[in-house]
């Protein structure tokens, strides 16, 4: 075991391999507040990559209703439970979320899936995990829209309107793909070294020629995003639509392009990028990269179950209406601050939030041109001022991709077409 | 499909089930390494058919070597009646525990002999091979008893359950009750043969009590007729499932809890207590709609209310 630095945990941790970081890292931000579970992303992926025989139960992209739903069923509860058994009562964070990007969420003092020594018998796995049954894989959208009711009152919803900060009756949609983790558990577990992380963009791939169907990765990936295919007897996973990210899609004009599931998002809740890495495994400062801004400056986007230890590269703006203890378990101690800043966004955040899904090309940099004040008022006791700023997105080649404003443009149809669509 | 079974009923295994069962059985097993060494090489066979065949042969060999077939072979061998009545028994992969079970398939081609037309299919989850042995064996014995009953002329099985008055909900109710009764007779027989623990009685009794909540104090005694006695016939199970009271008493239908209202035909537990004491006007209203009706046929409270209401309405003085 070597020691690697995991900035999500604010500390070093055990990992079976030496640390090695890509130049840039595939990463994404999903704004849960905007997802409507239309499953367009799910189908965009399926119709591109997993429509063949033997892939019937394979959904590299999926959207599940939390807290009851899950694909495979109960994946998160199961791994959290195993960790709890490994380290009873020890899965805790200390220190408060701080300003520094080496430990933005404080320090996690519990055990990761690589460290749960009590449960890792020598000679067996290198990673704590479990193998889901067919049954658990078979119902990708089980418990869709099933809410949690009021505590202790079964079959009863809130009869009257409710107000933020939290709802007593609640659910939310969690969209998931492979997190192309910085310390992939799938890679760590593979006895044949068939899984690799690309040095140019950190995308994690399974070499289909090397895989021999041991399914150690399926067992080890805590997010259950490696999936075994029975008819070819090899495991497959999300490939981050790498031809698009490489700019090989004919539509891209040679520029890096966002993945299928991102581009298809109806709720405009997804943004994907390639963030700059520095050689200590921390994101290199890149102040005007939108993902860097959302994760490290505004700190509104948080990793999914950081305590598992893989340093996943998917980040989520947590849902405002969900009880905080649930969210803290899912996204770590940064939740309260993230929700506070998202609910009462400052001038820059409001502008950056406009960048989601205005183009399918990957945004490498943004710039804000200040506009006039358009609103002033109070919201739940907070003073709110809105400016109609213009935000401009630039691609890898430094060229402008698009520009948009905070205030949505209003189009007035000509009288001739006033009532047509 | 891979064939097994030298004598008696041929058993064919779904290669997918075998492969998965072997894979699961070898996790953490001392022989896992040897198995994988052999299996890894097969990926390199370039001809797809030959590769597939080689995989299947390897999995089959390890399936036997690990003794995974033993419970199935034992359960099938016990049912020598099936040799003369069924062509093959196919063991395939279930995708969920709920799906596990045995089914009899009958080919509609009347040109074939009875035996040629019949096949048994048993669905099992791969994980079930790894449960402590008696579980799978008990399960298979129970399932094969269903098949044996179906093929027993004395039992007189008929796959189409009779249509029930009241629509699809009642069809399902009948089906559910029928299954509860049949399972009780099977597990009763299993206990007497020493194939199931005594404790199973309580489980079946619980199912029975839930399926027939109207039996009240008599539940335990009536349950015994199914669990503790044999033989049974399909027809008698159906009759009891449809209408336990009538089936027991052989008595003509009359108003009894759980019976049907003679007017609206819905089952009810609340009959009008003294229909003969209804006002004459109400009775005459009923007889306008149901000329054959007599007060000893009874009626439910809702129907009684309806006709009382109608009489009141007709007698009412309206100011307009
Ligand atoms: S999410 Fe799972 S499959 Fe994807 S890189 Fe991380 S450990 Fe591997
Ligand atoms: S990035 Fe591409 S391969 Fe991965 S889930 Fe999205 S659409 Fe599927
Ligand atoms: S397409 Fe977007 S809005 Fe629709 S389910 Fe997927 S993530 Fe949610
Ligand atoms: Zn009635």
């Amino acid at each position: 075991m070597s020691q690697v630095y995991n900035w999500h945990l604010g500390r070093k941790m055990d990992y079976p391999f030496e640390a090695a970081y890509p130049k840039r890292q595939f990463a994404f931000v999903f704004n849960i507040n905007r997802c409507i579970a239309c499953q367009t992303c799910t189908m965009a992926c399926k119709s591109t990559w997993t429509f063949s025989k033997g892939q019937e139960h394979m959904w590299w992209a999926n959207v599940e209703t939390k807290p009851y739903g899950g694909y495979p069923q109960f994946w998160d509860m199961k791994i959290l439970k195993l960790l709890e058994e490994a380290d009873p009562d020890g899965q805790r964070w200390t220190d408060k979320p701080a300003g520094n990007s080496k430990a933005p969420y404080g320090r996690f003092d519990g055990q990761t899936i690589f460290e749960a020594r009590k449960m890792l018998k020598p000679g067996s796995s290198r990673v704590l995990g479990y193998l889901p049954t067919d049954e658990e894989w078979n119902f990708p959208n089980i418990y869709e829209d099933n809410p949690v009711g009021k505590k202790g009152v079964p079959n009863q919803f809130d009869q009257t309107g409710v107000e933020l900060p939290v709802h007593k009756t609640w659910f939310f949609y969690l969209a998931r793909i492979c997190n192309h983790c910085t310390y992939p558990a799938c890679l760590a577990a593979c006895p044949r070294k068939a899984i690799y992380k690309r040095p140019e963009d950190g995308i994690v791939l399974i070499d289909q020629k090397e895989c021999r169907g041991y399914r150690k990765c399926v067992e080890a990936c805590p997010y259950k995003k490696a999936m075994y295919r029975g008819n070819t007897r090899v495991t497959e996973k999300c490939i981050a639509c790498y031809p698009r990210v490489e700019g090989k899609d004919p539509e891209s004009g040679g520029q890096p392009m966002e993945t299928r599931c991102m581009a298809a998002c109806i709720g405009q809740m997804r943004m994907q990028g390639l963030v700059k890495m520095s050689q200590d495994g921390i994101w290199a400062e890149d102040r005007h990269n939108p993902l860097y801004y959302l994760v490290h400056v505004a700190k509104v986007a948080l990793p999914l179950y950081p305590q598992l230890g893989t340093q996943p590269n998917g980040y989520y703006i947590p849902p405002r209406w969900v009880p905080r203890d649930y969210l803290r378990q899912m996204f770590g101690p940064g939740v309260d601050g993230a929700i506070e800043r998202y609910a009462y966004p400052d001038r820059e955040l409001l502008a950056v939030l406009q960048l989601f899904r205005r183009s399918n090309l990957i945004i490498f940099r943004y710039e804000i041109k200040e506009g006039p004040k358009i609103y002033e008022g109070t919201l739940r006791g907070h003073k709110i001022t809105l400016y109609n700023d213009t935000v401009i997105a630039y691609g890898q080649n430094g060229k402008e991709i698009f520009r948009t404003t905070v205030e949505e443009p209003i189009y007035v149809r000509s009288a001739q077409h006033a009532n047509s669509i | 499909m891979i064939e097994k079974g030298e004598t008696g009923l041929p058993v064919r295994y779904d290669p997918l089930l075998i492969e998965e069962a072997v894979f699961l059985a070898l996790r953490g097993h001392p022989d896992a390494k040897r198995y994988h060494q052999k299996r890894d090489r097969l990926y390199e066979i370039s001809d797809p058919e030959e590769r597939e065949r080689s995989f299947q042969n390897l999995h089959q060999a390890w399936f036997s070597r690990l003794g995974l077939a033993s419970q199935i072979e034992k359960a099938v061998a016990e049912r020598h009646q099936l040799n003369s009545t069924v062509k093959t028994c196919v063991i395939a992969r279930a995708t969920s525990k709920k799906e596990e079970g045995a089914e009899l398939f009958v080919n509609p081609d009347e040109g074939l002999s009875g035996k040629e037309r019949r096949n048994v299919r048993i669905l099992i989850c791969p994980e079930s091979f790894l449960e402590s042995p008696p579980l799978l064996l008990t399960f298979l014995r129970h399932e094969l008893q269903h098949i044996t009953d179906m093929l027993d002329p004395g039992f007189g099985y008929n796959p189409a359950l009779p249509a029930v008055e009241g629509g699809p909900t009642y069809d399902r109710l009948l089906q559910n009750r029928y299954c509860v009764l049949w399972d009780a007779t099977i597990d009763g027989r299993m206990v007497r043969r020493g194939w199931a623990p005594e404790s199973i009685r309580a489980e079946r009794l619980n199912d029975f009590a839930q399926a027939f909540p109207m039996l009240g104090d008599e539940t335990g005694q009536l349950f015994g007729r199914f669990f503790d006695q044999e033989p049974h016939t399909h027809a008698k199970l159906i009759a009891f499932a449809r209408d336990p009271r009538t089936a027991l008493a052989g008595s003509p239908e009359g108003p009894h809890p759980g019976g049907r209202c003679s007017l609206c035909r819905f089952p009810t537990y609340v009959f009008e207590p003294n229909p003969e004491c209804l006002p004459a006007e109400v009775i005459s209203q009923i007889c306008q709609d149901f000329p054959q009706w007599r007060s000893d046929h009874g009626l439910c409270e809702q129907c009684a209310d309806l006709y009382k209401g109608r009489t009141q309405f007709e007698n009412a003085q309206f100011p307009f």
Side-chain angles (χ1 to χ4, degrees):
Chain A
M1 280 282 171
S2 59
Q3 289 266 306
V4 295
Y5 190 78
N6 184 324
W7 63 263
H8 287 173
L9 308 183
R11 67 169 169 87
K12 284 193 168 159
M13 66 162 198
D14 290 347
Y15 188 68
F17 296 108
E18 294 293 326
Y21 305 104
K23 280 204 204 62
R24 283 193 176 263
Q25 172 62 53
F26 173 95
F28 55 87
V29 168
F30 288 177
N31 182 355
I32 294 177
N33 297 279
R34 303 192 66 165
C35 178
I36 55 173
C38 61
Q39 306 284 2
T40 312
C41 47
T42 310
M43 292 315 298
C45 181
K46 185 128 206 91
S47 59
T48 310
W49 303 114
T50 64
F51 55 80
S52 300
K53 191 162 184 257
Q55 295 178 308
E56 293 82 2
H57 295 301
M58 208 180 254
W59 302 87
W60 294 352
N62 80 290
V63 182
E64 55 202 39
T65 299
K66 284 293 173 205
Y68 299 123
Y71 168 75
Q73 215 176 329
F74 306 132
W75 64 271
D76 48 351
M77 278 174 50
K78 287 196 162 192
I79 188 64
L80 292 175
K81 193 158 170 270
L82 285 174
L83 280 166
E84 185 61 35
E85 280 166 31
D87 183 23
D89 240 7
Q91 298 294 88
R92 295 175 191 288
W93 297 79
T94 51
D95 291 356
K96 288 271 159 285
N100 93 55
S101 63
K102 284 196 80 126
Y105 316 125
R107 197 179 70 238
F108 179 65
D109 288 333
Q111 293 179 5
T112 68
I113 56 172
F114 307 110
E115 296 167 327
R117 277 180 209 93
K118 196 169 107 191
M119 313 276 282
L120 299 175
K121 289 166 213 91
S124 69
S125 315
R126 280 177 271 204
V127 184
L128 181 65
Y130 74 96
L131 204 60
T133 62
D134 286 353
E135 196 162 4
E136 289 163 9
W137 287 113
N138 275 348
F139 312 99
N141 204 8
I142 193 165
Y143 300 128
E144 181 180 26
D145 289 3
N146 274 30
V148 177
K150 277 172 133 152
K151 219 186 176 107
V153 201
N155 305 321
Q156 268 287 318
F157 303 143
D158 284 295
Q159 303 294 318
T160 54
V162 282
E163 270 184 31
L164 292 175
V166 286
H167 293 181
K168 290 191 187 103
T169 301
W170 60 276
F171 65 81
F172 67 94
Y173 303 123
L174 186 70
R176 303 200 301 117
I177 67 170
C178 165
N179 291 293
H180 297 277
C181 305
T182 302
Y183 304 114
C186 54
L187 183 154
C190 178
R192 293 183 54 88
K193 298 203 168 69
I195 304 183
Y196 61 103
K197 190 167 172 68
R198 306 207 303 184
E200 63 273 35
D201 51 21
I203 291 175
V204 176
L205 296 176
I206 302 178
D207 185 336
Q208 300 285 292
K209 282 213 188 67
E210 282 300 314
C211 174
R212 292 289 178 265
Y214 283 55
R215 283 185 251 179
K216 290 282 184 196
C217 54
V218 181
E219 190 175 338
C221 170
Y223 302 97
K224 295 293 166 249
K225 281 296 173 191
M227 299 162 199
Y228 181 69
R229 180 168 174 183
N231 62 339
T232 56
R233 299 189 172 85
V234 293
T235 299
E236 299 180 357
K237 62 177 281 301
C238 158
I239 57 169
C241 292
Y242 68 81
R244 284 169 72 96
V245 173
E246 288 170 3
K248 300 237 171 72
D249 188 288
E251 244 182 66
S252 69
Q255 289 302 299
M257 200 178 189
E258 291 191 43
T259 69
R260 289 280 291 134
C261 57
M262 310 288 164
C265 180
I266 300 291
Q268 307 195 339
M269 61 77 94
R270 298 177 167 228
M271 175 158 35
Q272 178 237 311
L274 291 167
V275 297
K276 244 193 237 165
M277 294 290 290
S278 66
Q279 280 323 295
D280 52 3
I282 313 292
W283 289 13
E285 182 165 359
D286 191 4
R287 179 64 180 75
H288 290 101
N289 176 298
L291 298 187
Y292 184 90
Y293 170 76
L294 292 168
V295 171
H296 279 297
V297 182
K299 293 195 177 69
V300 290
L302 303 168
L304 177 64
Y305 292 118
Q307 67 270 44
L308 301 176
T310 65
Q311 203 176 292
N313 288 297
Y315 293 82
Y316 292 81
I317 304 182
R320 288 175 303 165
W321 59 90
V322 172
R324 294 296 164 83
D325 45 359
Y326 185 84
L327 293 178
R328 277 180 217 121
Q329 169 174 272
M330 185 172 261
F331 301 109
V335 158
D336 301 277
I339 292 181
E340 180 73 11
R341 285 183 292 274
Y342 178 72
Y344 310 104
D346 66 16
R347 190 168 179 173
E348 183 169 6
L349 178 56
L350 208 54
V352 171
L353 288 171
Q354 312 311 314
L355 292 170
F356 282 71
R357 301 263 54 79
R358 290 293 181 276
S359 163
N360 291 340
L361 292 181
I362 292 179
I363 302 169
F364 281 73
R365 185 171 68 83
Y366 67 88
E367 192 184 311
I368 295 171
K369 287 227 176 336
E370 295 196 342
K373 188 196 284 184
I374 47 172
Y375 175 82
E376 212 169 29
T378 47
L379 178 62
R380 288 184 288 272
H382 288 68
K383 194 167 166 277
I384 296 279
T385 315
L386 295 186
Y387 299 88
N388 192 21
D389 294 337
T390 297
V391 56
I392 310 165
Y394 297 94
Q396 188 186 39
N397 57 7
K399 290 207 179 114
E400 175 174 333
I401 309 176
F402 64 87
R403 60 181 62 204
T404 187
T405 55
V406 167
E407 199 170 29
E408 277 199 31
I410 297 172
Y411 297 101
V412 181
R413 287 179 176 279
S414 66
Q416 194 192 351
H417 300 295
N419 277 328
S420 61
I421 294 174
Chain B
M1 284 287 160
I2 294 161
E3 300 240 358
K4 255 312 239 152
E6 300 74 44
T7 55
L9 179 63
V11 179
R12 291 162 65 200
Y13 291 94
D14 169 6
L16 281 179
L17 175 66
I18 290 197
E19 177 168 355
E20 197 64 15
V22 169
F23 172 81
L24 294 176
L26 280 170
R27 288 175 73 214
H29 192 282
D31 284 346
K33 208 168 175 179
R34 290 186 43 207
Y35 165 77
H36 279 295
Q37 276 169 353
K38 288 219 166 71
R39 189 174 181 273
D40 288 358
R41 273 185 240 130
L42 305 182
Y43 281 80
E44 276 137 45
I45 301 174
S46 54
D47 178 56
E49 276 171 29
E50 197 197 323
R51 185 171 62 231
E52 191 56 38
R53 229 183 355 261
S54 309
F55 271 120
Q56 291 190 8
N57 291 341
L58 177 81
H59 300 140
Q60 173 62 48
W62 280 81
F63 190 67
S64 310
R65 180 172 165 171
L66 294 166
L68 295 173
S70 61
Q71 298 176 70
I72 296 177
E73 281 163 8
K74 182 165 186 198
V76 171
E78 284 164 0
R79 302 284 170 180
H80 36 81
Q81 312 91 310
L82 299 180
N83 295 347
S84 54
T85 45
V86 172
K87 192 174 149 208
T88 47
C89 176
V90 174
I91 316 280
R93 180 176 181 173
T95 49
S96 69
K97 276 274 169 201
K98 255 199 197 140
E99 213 183 58
E100 291 190 320
E103 281 216 68
L104 181 67
F105 287 88
V106 184
N107 185 334
D109 181 353
E110 302 205 345
L112 298 169
S113 74
K115 175 176 170 170
E116 281 296 302
R117 288 169 60 189
R118 295 192 203 103
N119 289 294
V120 170
R121 184 194 68 184
I122 304 179
L123 294 181
I124 306 176
C125 286
E127 296 84 30
S128 299
F129 285 94
L130 307 181
E131 285 166 358
S132 81
L135 281 184
L136 182 58
L137 186 60
T138 310
F139 168 78
L140 289 166
R141 282 170 161 167
H142 178 105
E143 289 299 303
L144 287 172
Q145 187 62 56
H146 277 293
I147 304 291
T148 315
D149 281 355
M150 286 175 178
L151 293 166
D152 175 7
F155 184 74
Y157 181 72
N158 180 352
L161 297 188
V164 201
E165 232 181 315
T169 316
Y170 290 97
D171 285 343
R172 213 165 309 131
L173 193 67
L174 175 70
Q175 199 183 0
N176 175 40
R177 287 179 177 170
Y178 173 74
C179 289
V180 165
L181 295 176
W182 197 5
D183 281 346
T185 72
I186 289 179
D187 284 349
R189 284 177 275 172
M190 300 253 302
V191 169
R192 287 190 289 284
R193 294 186 75 164
W195 284 357
E198 257 301 332
S199 60
I200 212 162
R201 190 178 210 281
E203 289 173 38
R204 291 295 85 81
L205 175 58
N206 187 36
D207 294 348
F208 181 83
Q210 283 190 14
F212 300 96
M214 72 297 272
L215 298 178
D217 293 344
E218 291 168 86
T219 305
Q221 178 240 324
L222 291 172
F223 171 72
R225 293 197 190 184
F226 297 95
F227 195 89
D228 301 323
Q229 294 173 13
E230 47 189 297
H232 296 277
T233 66
H234 174 81
K236 287 222 169 112
L237 298 185
I238 286 284
F240 189 87
R242 279 181 91 158
D243 190 347
R245 292 281 162 204
T246 321
L248 289 174
S251 62
E253 278 203 49
H256 60 266
R260 289 176 186 279
C261 164
S262 60
L263 304 187
C264 65
R265 303 303 297 159
F266 279 106
T268 181
Y269 286 87
V270 202
F271 284 91
E272 175 70 14
N274 300 305
E276 63 285 354
C277 303
L278 286 170
E281 291 169 282
V282 175
I283 295 188
S284 90
Q285 278 276 351
I286 297 174
C287 289
Q288 273 180 31
D289 291 346
F290 297 90
Q292 310 291 323
W293 185 79
R294 293 194 327 262
S295 61
D296 59 331
H297 294 161
L299 77 168
C300 74
E301 247 183 2
Q302 280 83 352
C303 284
D305 277 351
L306 177 80
Y307 284 98
K308 285 182 205 159
R310 206 182 272 181
T311 324
Q312 273 175 18
F313 179 79
E314 289 188 354
N315 294 340
Q317 299 289 315
F318 292 106
F320 42 81

